[in-house]
Structures are given as structure tokens and as C-alpha cells.
Amino acid sequence: MASLTITSTRGDTKTVEGTAGLSVMEIIRKAGFDDLQALCGGSCACATCHVHVHPDDFARVGPANEDEDDLLDSSNERTPTSRLSCQIPFGPALDGLRVTVAKEG
Amino acid sequence: MPGQPGAARFDVLVVGAGHAGAHLAMSLRQLGFRGTVALLGDEPDWPYERPPLSKDYLAGAKPFEALLLKEPEYWALKDIAVLRGRRVVSVDPTAHEVRTGDGAALGYGVLAWCAGGVPRRLPCAGSHLAGVHTVRTRADVDLMREELATAARVAVVGGGYIGLEAASVLTEMGKAVTVIEMQDRVLARVAGEPVSRFYEAEHRARGVQVMLNTVVSRIEERDGRAGGVRLGDGTVLPADMVVAGIGIVPAVQPLLDAGAAGGNGVEVDACCRTSLPDIYAVGDCAAHRNRFADGGSVRVESVQNAVDQAFVAARAITGAPAPYDAVPWFWSNQYDLRLQTVGLSAGHDAVVVRGEPAARSFSVIYLRRSAVVALDCVNATRDYVQGKALVAGALVVEPARLADTTQPLKALAAAGRA
Ligand SMILES: Cc1cc2nc3c(=O)[nH]c(=O)nc-3n(C[C@H](O)[C@H](O)[C@H](O)COP(=O)(O)OP(=O)(O)OC[C@H]3O[C@@H](n4cnc5c(N)ncnc54)[C@H](O)[C@@H]3O)c2cc1C
Ligand code: FES
């Protein structure tokens, strides 16, 4: 089993078992975080599933794809380790991944 | 019963547990509201998102659980009573009470009407036959999927987004699909001609038969089910399944009966208040004045509108009103094409095509009195992101500069004038 540690915009942290095959967005949503809106349901069309990946984990996750990169540009909260969580498929290789939900804006 | 012990009453009663209702209940808690909240809806399921119904869920690429807006436990955790499978049939604004189909009365302090709409039925004989489908609820699509096992030919009536999305999924499933559209182009109500012609060509290239300027005069019966579609000129198109995507009728009758102002939807002010005391309306059913529609009264059928209005209503209910002013956005997936829309294009008087449709990555920019009012971006996320500032500011930019793909829209936004 692989786990994932999620921190909300308010700073609450929760570690959950991640299901392989789901996206990180789906896992965060299942874990009950309501500050991640994910309005387009994972279609890479909205940028409301923005997370900051812990810098030490970023190499394992990898950079954003091209469309995602453009969408991330719409956020004032973008950092070098920003990703759209619906574009990160979860799996055993990401065991221990730490992400923080980005503020809107 | 009113006033009797045991009669249920909620400080906020949300009617309709779709995107708007669910987000309204969530927003109330996020804003710190501590009163009692119920989220009542007539569907048997926990609140879920509709867009995948004509996309991944129809295709069988996503299980239903992936459509749930929240896990069922979430609602209990937030102390939101989700009342599923119950339908409000009447509203008594004086008594602050609604009545449900089972005859029960529920009292409210504030009523938030988030009932969306009901798919319009085909206005012709045979529209009630088995095998004639609409795409609005999980139950609709589950039934469709069941029947698809034995259906080879599908007639889609209506070339709007939902009809075309369904057509693309069904085509990819190997069905022989015909799209029948009354107007002279698909997407006529929602997009400009270049977008319509592009999607028409994409569908045709994949073998979809697209019939324009064509009306349906009846659904033909075969063995007690839909067996074909009779067209205006009398020809009969054999079909094992008919999918009607011809829009919705807003579900507002109980409110209109109670005296609320409205007609095509229920009228709301900038804070989502109806003309009746303590009654709000949000989402697909709410007719509101929208800055992006030239100040006209519109209903906007999108996730963006449902969610942003839900937040506006929640703010007003919790005593911190702020008017609705969000920039509209929308998306649609067909085949490998992602359309992203920002703004509202209705009422535009000029269009600019940016990029080459033949390259399958381009944008159509809509102008009204020379100002940018909307963009439809096909596989062009960068234009979508950067064009938002043009729409938000209603900026005036030379058409030639909008069409110049060597210049990012970002640069024009910086230079444009309102
Ligand atoms: C197939 C499909 C694809 C779509 N694709 C997109 C897309 O790609 N992008 C996008 O932005 N938008 C899309 N939309 C539109 C989007 O889903 C809607 O705008 C959104 O769901 C509106 O939310 P709502 O809460 O106002 O209404 P709804 O989601 O319709 O919810 C209303 C709920 O209220 C219930 N109800 C109605 N009357 C009563 C009553 N009297 N008592 C109790 N319950 C009642 C209804 O059954 C329903 O469950 C799509 C819609 C459909 C149907
Ligand atoms: S959920 Fe919309 S981009 Fe990820």
C-alpha cells in the first residue's frame, strides 16, 4: 500500500492510503478536503485542483505537461513545484508523496 | 405537519442536490454557518457531477464513484442532512414550508432552490417510446449503457454540446451515429460559425452522418420500441436508439406557483435572491442579469455558474453579501479535442479566427462593439488562459492583432484598452 500526505490551505494535514489508478486529485477529494474544488472533474480544463508538491518529492512526480503548464500560469500562487493534481496518476512509485493544496488566485 | 412536534425544520433547506445545491451547502459550512442545513434532492444518489455523463461515464471509462462530489461520510462530518430520493412539489412562502411528494412538510428559515432543469422532450409523436433517451442523470446514462449492448445504429437529435459529446463517445464505441440538427449548423446556439464548421467536419471525418436543416417529425415504433426516426421530408432513418439533446426546461414550477417572478427560470438579483422572501435560486434554473451578457437576463448552464452562484448565495445567507460577477467559463470534450470557453459569446457582432482550424489547434474570438466578449479555444489552452483578461476587462483590440499568432494574447491584454 502506498500513502500520500495532504495538507489543506488551512494547514491541516492528513495521511491517507492512496489507491493506485486514481489521480492525486481523486484521492484528495475522497479524503474529504473541500478546499480543492477540482471543478472540471479531472479534464485538465479548470486549474482548480492546483497543489504544491513537496520539493523533495518533485523529481518523482515530474513537471507539468504543456496544457497543464499553461493552466498553471493562470494562478498567482504558482511555485516551481506546482502541479494540477488531476494530472498526477497515483501509484506505488509515489509512496510517501507530500502535497499541499494551493490557495485560489 | 406545520408546527406539530416532530415536524422537520431546517435553518437552510437546499432543494436540488446537484452541483449548485451541493456547493451551496458546502460553502455555508466553509463560511462558518452553524445552523441546521438539509440538502434535499429527488435522485437516489449522493451528489455527483454531471459533465462526465456525456463523456467518460458514458464511455465506461470512469466508475460512478469517481463522479461523487464528496464521499458520503463527508456530509455527516459537516452536519449536512442529505435527504435523497425526495421531491418538493409545492412551496408555501408565508408559512416558510415546502411539501414533498410523499406528503410531508418541511419548514425552512431560508430556502435555496437549486433544482436545475429537466431535459426537453422531443415535440413529436413517439417521443415516449422505450429506446428514446435523454442525458441528464446517472439513471439516464445507466439505462442507455444497458441498451447500447444491443444497439448498432444511434440517432442523436440536437447538435448542441451534449448531443455532440454523446455522438463522439458512441462513435468511438463503434456505433453508427447520425446527428440530426434543425439549424443550418451544429452548436448554432452556443458558438460561432467557424467552431460549428470545425466540429461538423471532425464528426464527419469519423463517419458520423451530420444532417443539418433537418427536423424530426416522429419516432417510428418497432416491436414496442423506437425503431427509427421519421424526418420532415418523410424519409425514415432506421435507429436502434434515439438520444435527444435539445436542451432543458428549468425546474421552477413550484416556485412560480408560489408567486416568484420568472418564466424561463426564476428571476434572481445579483445576490441570487428571488422575489419571494428568504428564497434564493442558484444554477441552471436561475435567470440573472449577467455583466458578460451585456447586462441581459440569462440562465447559464455550466459548472462555473452553479458553483460561483452557490458561493454568492451562501455569502448572502450568512450576512456577508457580495454580488455575482464571475467570468463565465466552460469546457467540452469530443474525441481528442478539448474546447475551453471563456465569456459568453451570445450577441457578438464579429468573430476573429486565431490560428488554423486545419491544424486542430485554434481559437475563435468574439467581439461585441469591438470589445472582446468571449473566446472558444480548441486545443489551445494558452489562449484560453491568456484570453480571460481580455474578456474580464472587455478590452478593445484590433482584430488583426487578435489574429496574429506570433503575439501571445497576454501581450495584447497588457496593451488593450477597456
Ligand atoms: C450530460 C451533461 C454534460 C455537461 N457537460 C458540462 C461541461 O462539460 N461543462 C460545464 O461547465 N457544464 C456541463 N454541464 C452542465 C452542468 O452539469 C450544469 O450546469 C450543472 O449541473 C448545473 O447544476 P445545478 O445544480 O443548477 O443543476 P443540476 O445539476 O441539474 O441539479 C439539480 C438537481 O435538483 C433535482 N431536482 C429538480 N427538481 C427537484 C425538486 N422539485 N425536488 C427535489 N429535487 C429536485 C434534480 O433531479 C437534480 O438532481 C453538463 C450537463 C449535462 C447534463
Ligand atoms: S480538476 Fe480541473 S484541471 Fe484538474
Side-chain angles (χ1 to χ4, degrees):
Chain A
M1 276 302 210
S3 74
L4 177 71
T5 299
I6 309 158
T7 303
S8 76
T9 51
R10 289 179 295 267
D12 319 327
T13 291
K14 194 164 161 180
T15 298
V16 298
E17 288 299 323
T19 314
L22 294 188
S23 69
V24 170
M25 178 278 278
E26 289 171 313
I27 295 167
I28 299 174
R29 184 148 103 163
K30 267 169 120 38
F33 284 80
D34 53 14
D35 46 0
L36 187 99
Q37 292 209 305
L39 293 179
C40 78
S43 282
C44 197
C46 73
T48 61
C49 64
H50 179 184
V51 295
H52 303 295
V53 176
H54 191 286
D56 296 345
D57 297 334
F58 192 68
R60 281 195 289 160
V61 176
N65 63 52
E66 192 185 335
D67 285 343
E68 181 187 345
D69 186 50
D70 287 332
L71 275 173
L72 281 166
D73 266 341
S74 66
S75 172
N76 298 322
E77 299 292 325
R78 183 169 192 173
T79 64
T81 67
S82 282
R83 288 291 312 264
L84 294 181
S85 56
C86 73
Q87 300 302 304
I88 311 173
F90 192 71
L94 294 185
D95 184 24
L97 176 67
R98 290 157 291 178
V99 296
T100 301
V101 178
K103 291 199 180 63
E104 270 184 69
Chain B
M1 295 298 117
Q4 287 181 11
R9 183 194 172 282
F10 296 94
D11 294 320
V12 178
L13 173 61
V14 183
V15 174
H19 235 119
H23 272 266
L24 177 39
M26 285 195 267
S27 298
L28 285 171
R29 290 299 184 225
Q30 280 172 337
L31 291 169
F33 183 73
R34 321 228 358 209
T36 53
V37 177
L39 177 57
L40 175 150
D42 59 0
E43 292 186 66
D45 292 300
W46 295 94
Y48 64 92
E49 55 193 4
R50 272 174 229 292
L53 292 179
S54 52
K55 308 178 180 78
D56 286 351
Y57 187 65
L58 177 60
K62 260 190 187 181
F64 179 71
E65 290 63 43
L67 274 50
L68 291 178
L69 288 169
K70 293 287 165 214
E71 291 296 284
E73 304 80 61
Y74 170 88
W75 304 103
L77 200 70
K78 297 288 168 178
D79 203 12
I80 296 165
V82 182
L83 311 177
R84 293 177 291 150
R86 294 184 67 183
R87 185 173 179 74
V88 168
V89 292
S90 66
V91 176
D92 182 340
T94 314
H96 276 54
E97 192 178 90
V98 304
R99 206 161 277 276
T100 51
D102 50 16
L106 291 174
Y108 63 81
V110 164
L111 177 66
W113 194 263
C114 306
V118 182
R120 195 171 282 134
R121 282 200 163 275
L122 290 171
C124 68
S127 68
H128 287 77
L129 288 170
V132 180
H133 297 267
T134 53
V135 193
R136 183 74 191 179
T137 64
R138 176 205 188 168
D140 290 343
V141 178
D142 284 352
L143 184 62
M144 241 175 107
R145 285 189 52 82
E146 225 169 85
E147 293 183 10
L148 274 171
T150 54
R153 296 160 304 183
V154 185
V156 175
V157 184
Y161 285 125
I162 292 177
L164 292 186
E165 287 184 346
S168 74
V169 169
L170 296 170
T171 300
E172 287 183 329
M173 282 176 162
K175 310 296 175 191
V177 178
T178 305
V179 172
I180 304 166
E181 168 58 50
M182 199 163 70
Q183 313 251 34
D184 62 359
R185 57 186 178 93
V186 297
L187 302 175
R189 200 174 55 86
V190 288
E193 175 128 20
V195 176
S196 300
R197 295 300 169 211
F198 173 77
Y199 277 99
E200 178 188 336
E202 286 287 332
H203 281 274
R204 287 194 200 279
R206 287 170 171 85
V208 176
Q209 192 184 359
V210 181
M211 307 181 83
L212 303 173
N213 300 304
T214 305
V215 294
V216 171
S217 65
R218 78 155 50 251
I219 308 300
E220 297 289 334
E221 186 177 332
R222 189 185 60 210
D223 306 330
R225 305 176 43 84
V229 175
R230 181 177 293 268
L231 306 176
D233 66 0
T235 41
V236 175
L237 192 80
D240 311 307
M241 176 183 283
V242 178
V243 180
I246 56 169
I248 60 166
V249 179
V252 294
Q253 203 54 48
L255 278 191
L256 299 184
D257 290 345
N264 175 20
V266 61
E267 276 174 29
V268 296
D269 70 8
C271 291
C272 295
R273 290 179 283 241
T274 70
S275 62
L276 295 173
D278 301 320
I279 303 184
Y280 293 72
V282 167
D284 282 12
C285 68
H288 62 278
R289 300 218 166 268
N290 194 305
R291 172 159 79 91
F292 298 95
D294 215 9
S297 173
V298 288
R299 287 189 307 102
V300 177
E301 296 171 12
S302 72
V303 167
Q304 171 277 319
N305 179 68
V307 170
D308 288 333
Q309 282 193 332
F311 190 66
V312 164
R315 287 198 57 158
I317 292 167
T318 52
Y324 180 53
D325 192 40
V327 181
W329 59 267
F330 184 81
W331 77 98
S332 171
N333 300 339
Q334 296 168 50
Y335 307 110
D336 58 343
L337 301 164
R338 181 166 52 233
L339 172 88
Q340 289 165 280
T341 297
V342 57
L344 297 175
S345 63
H348 65 269
D349 52 31
V351 297
V352 176
V353 179
R354 176 180 167 86
E356 265 305 312
R360 306 181 81 245
S361 167
F362 69 102
S363 302
V364 173
I365 303 173
Y366 301 88
L367 308 174
R368 186 165 54 226
R369 297 188 298 275
S370 306
V372 177
V373 293
L375 290 89
D376 277 329
C377 308
V378 178
N379 289 348
T381 301
R382 188 168 302 162
D383 282 355
Y384 166 75
V385 168
Q386 299 187 0
K388 184 175 176 181
L390 301 176
V391 174
L395 298 184
V396 173
V397 187
E398 281 290 307
R401 299 184 65 203
L402 289 170
D404 177 2
T405 50
T406 64
Q407 285 293 313
L409 291 179
K410 192 157 59 178
L412 304 183
R417 71 186 157 82

